[in-house]
Amino acid sequence: MTAIVAPNAERVADVPERAQRRAIVAIARKELGDAVRSRWFWMWAIAFALLAAVLASVALPGSRIAGSASFGRTAASLVALVQIIVPLMGLTLGAQSIAAQRESGALRFLLSHPVNRTEAFWGIHLGLSVALLAAASAGFGAAGLVTAIRSGGAQAGAFLRITVLAWVLVIAMLGVGMLISVFARRASAALGIAVFVWLAFVFLGDLGLMGTAVATRMPVDALFFATVANPIEAFRLAALGSFVGSLDILGPSGTYAVDALGPALMPVIVGVLVLWMILPAVGAWIRFRTAKDV
Amino acid sequence: MRTRIVTIALLAWGLVSVAPSLAAQEPTDLQALIDDAAPGAVLDLAAGTYRGGVTIDKPLTIRSDGAAVIDGGDDDTVITVEAPDVTLEGLVVRGSGDTLDREDSGIYVKAPRVRIVDNRLEDVLFGIFLHQAPDSVVERNVIGAKDVFVARRGDGIRLWESHRTVVADNVVDGGRDAVFWFCDDLEIRGNRISNGRYGLHFMYSDRALVEANALIDNSVGSFLMYSKDLVLRRNLISGNNGPSGYGVGLKDMDGARLEDNLLVGNRVGVFLDNSPQTVGIEQWFRGNLFAYNQIGALFLPSVKNNVFWENSFVDNTVQVTVQGGGRFSGNRWTNDGVGNHWSDYAGYDADGDGIGDVPYRLDDLYDHLLDRNPEIMLFSETPAARALDLAARAFPVIKPRPKVEDPAPLIRPPAPPEPPFDLGVQPSATLLVGSIAMMAFAVVVVLSTRRRRSL
């Protein structure tokens, strides 16, 4: 870890807002540097980029026959990959952030500078966000490059929309991870909880809903909204909507959603995702600001 | 009065050549030209606009090189043919009325042996309507429908009791169907039909040969109903995704044969409803590619006597299923020891004869649940749904009875049929630039941290 840049501290005297912004950026840069130098970051970035590129290239050979349908295949595989890897990236990185720094004493050192807890929190959040966006972009860039060169580009718009949705998802998951981090006593506990939360989002939530639907004949509207409340499902449905065009294909629940929400369907789903991006991070910030521990 | 010069060149074969000058100012009276022409004459229309709403009541050839526009003025039918042996060639026909019950059409034919070739029809309710016009030819026409709400559209091509007609190489976009009522021995070849309701729709039409058509982005690619011995071969059927969309739907069909079709990216590849309807008749599905559909083949319960072999089922979200659950009893998935290729086959071929040594069994727990609880389709292709199937395999105690058993699955997919049209999409500059920008962003982020360290 590198020391906080001194000049910022000296310039605090001018306009407070600008000073605060400068402090956040300085902490973010330091956090970004730490993230990029960490093994975690490279592991995720390389694994994601490789898998995405491989998926894009195995899904495309049928494109002469299948036209844009094979792009649908690429997109569906990519969405499944994102559903699994991207939340894990965000959650683990977020969960380790504050808890690990608290444990190692780095947080105490950081807060001994003339920065307040709000600046420290959002600085860390911003730095990690940029790191995660870079990792996600590398993966999507690799998949997009393969797709663009080997055709399937009829739906460039859909591909780019999925990318943006994945960005939102990764920041949302970072927020959840940081929420875990501010509450956890130890970094290892935070990591464990993060993995469990990931399991709940990706598998247990869906399996639970499936089981409930099968066992209790749950009404389709309840099933749909309970599903959309899960950020990873919100991402999947929004992504599906952007490359299939309609959620009709998802059976009765999808048809219900299309009928009931009409043109508001996509804004609602994306809205859920955006709420997940904002609320956990704000919750973590409030907790971090009021907590006395360093 | 209008200004026009009529040049009648009486050549050996009686060709009549018409050259309206100053045509741009006022439409020429085509009906008068028709009335003046002798039966069997050839009217060569020069460039210009002609008034529509005409009736052809004698054998006649009316032709142009695509520069003569016959404008119906958005009222009624543009050209009505009441005499046999009429040829319409190279015309632009535009602006029919929009009244469905009057069947306002671009070209409405009531007599046999007409040839309608190389015409362009624009802004018409019905495009080409053959009503009791057997032995006709409808070839290389381009038909664009009126842009109205789907329930108010007419059919791009509609044939009624017009046996032995050839419909070939037409391009139809929008509109409702290309529909064939009570027409036997049709030949439907090389047409490209998109953005309609039912691409090709057969009603009580026996022994049709349907070959090398492209049916793309309709609600249903081809709906075959109440017809016998229809052959559907080498068609490209893709993106037919209406709420109840099918690539090919068969209802009360007998003796249909689907061979070497490409069924790709539809909601349902093939839908079977009471087909074959007669006991003792088998239907064949051979050499078709079912790929990337939501459901490869969907059966209604109690559909029997269908034989599937040498087909490839590749990455359909649900390979095959029975609506509402149940098994495919009474249908065969192998013929003469040759089965189908299944992309999710997990067996092996130790003796190397190209045929899997263990049967392909469709027994996914998720699929099984889906049959009875269609609402959980919401979770199709999620990691959770896959986990469920994995669990069912690991703990066979909850393994459902297989729906399909293919005793001789093919290890390698049969060579895919040659597509009648190339759907290959162009490399995309937008995506290329976007992807490079994304990777550049990642690189810049990484480099920015390096630079800071060197300060």
Side-chain angles (χ1 to χ4, degrees), chain A residues 71-210:
Chain A
F71 171 76
R73 214 49 239 169
T74 313
S77 320
L78 206 58
V79 166
L81 178 70
V82 169
Q83 263 184 288
I84 292 176
I85 282 199
V86 163
L88 205 50
M89 278 163 69
L91 281 168
T92 51
L93 221 58
Q96 284 185 307
S97 60
I98 290 172
Q101 293 196 27
R102 196 196 289 126
E103 210 167 78
S104 69
L107 188 63
R108 186 185 296 272
F109 178 60
L110 175 64
L111 290 173
S112 69
H113 290 82
V115 291
N116 62 33
R117 292 176 80 93
T118 296
E119 289 159 357
F121 179 86
W122 290 114
I124 291 171
H125 187 273
L126 179 65
L128 291 179
S129 294
V130 173
L132 287 167
L133 289 184
S137 302
F140 273 97
L145 213 56
V146 173
T147 311
I149 291 169
R150 300 186 54 187
S151 91
Q155 296 200 44
F159 190 94
L160 298 177
R161 276 196 297 277
I162 294 173
T163 310
V164 172
L165 288 168
W167 287 345
V168 177
L169 178 68
V170 78
I171 295 175
M173 289 296 113
L174 171 68
V176 176
M178 288 182 74
L179 186 62
I180 296 167
S181 201
V182 293
F183 277 101
R185 293 266 123 232
R186 307 180 57 82
S188 53
L191 198 60
I193 297 168
V195 171
F196 179 78
V197 167
W198 171 81
L199 205 62
F201 277 145
V202 179
F203 294 102
L204 304 181
D206 283 3
L207 285 173
L209 281 175
M210 259 190 266

Side-chain angles (χ1 to χ4, degrees), chain B residues 382-426:
Chain B
T382 56
R386 299 228 167 91
L388 203 58
D389 288 336
L390 205 65
R393 285 206 183 91
F395 308 104
V397 91
I398 44 172
K399 203 177 177 79
R401 256 170 26 127
K403 283 194 291 194
V404 167
E405 218 175 281
D406 181 345
L410 302 176
I411 292 291
R412 306 214 156 276
E418 198 53 32
F421 294 88
D422 198 338
L423 272 189
V425 272
Q426 296 301 308

Side-chain angles (χ1 to χ4, degrees), chain A residues 2-3 5 29-30 32-33 36-37 42 59 63-67 69-70 73 76 80 83-84 130 133-134 137-138 140-142 144-145 147-149 151-154 156 159-160 163 167 202-203 206-207 209-210 213-214 217 220 223-224 227 233 236-237 248-253, chain B residues 236 238-239 241-243 262 264-265 267 289 291-294 315-317 366 369 372-388 416-419 421-428 430-432 434-436 438-439 441-442 445-446 448-453:
Chain A
T2 35
V5 260
R29 291 188 66 130
K30 171 237 154 216
L32 175 63
V36 167
R37 274 184 292 279
W42 286 103
S63 63
R64 199 172 75 88
I65 293 168
S70 74
R73 214 49 239 169
Q83 263 184 288
I84 292 176
V130 173
L133 289 184
S137 302
F140 273 97
L145 213 56
T147 311
I149 291 169
S151 91
F159 190 94
L160 298 177
T163 310
W167 287 345
V202 179
F203 294 102
D206 283 3
L207 285 173
L209 281 175
M210 259 190 266
V214 169
R217 290 255 153 224
V220 286
L223 182 63
F224 178 78
T227 307
E233 286 294 286
R236 178 175 69 92
L237 295 173
D248 278 339
I249 57 160
L250 290 174
S253 318
Chain B
L236 172 58
S238 175
N241 273 322
L262 297 155
V264 180
R267 194 188 72 94
L289 172 67
Y292 314 142
N293 303 291
Q294 288 290 312
D315 286 341
N316 302 290
T317 308
Y366 172 72
L369 289 174
R372 290 192 174 79
N373 307 277
E375 63 273 16
I376 66 164
M377 182 117 181
L378 191 57
F379 302 100
S380 64
E381 296 198 77
T382 56
R386 299 228 167 91
L388 203 58
E418 198 53 32
F421 294 88
D422 198 338
L423 272 189
V425 272
Q426 296 301 308
S428 159
T430 320
L431 191 51
L432 199 65
S435 305
I436 292 173
M438 279 189 260
M439 297 187 85
F441 167 65
V445 166
V446 170
S448 75
T449 63
R450 290 279 159 77
R451 203 171 56 236
R452 239 195 99 255
R453 195 153 61 161

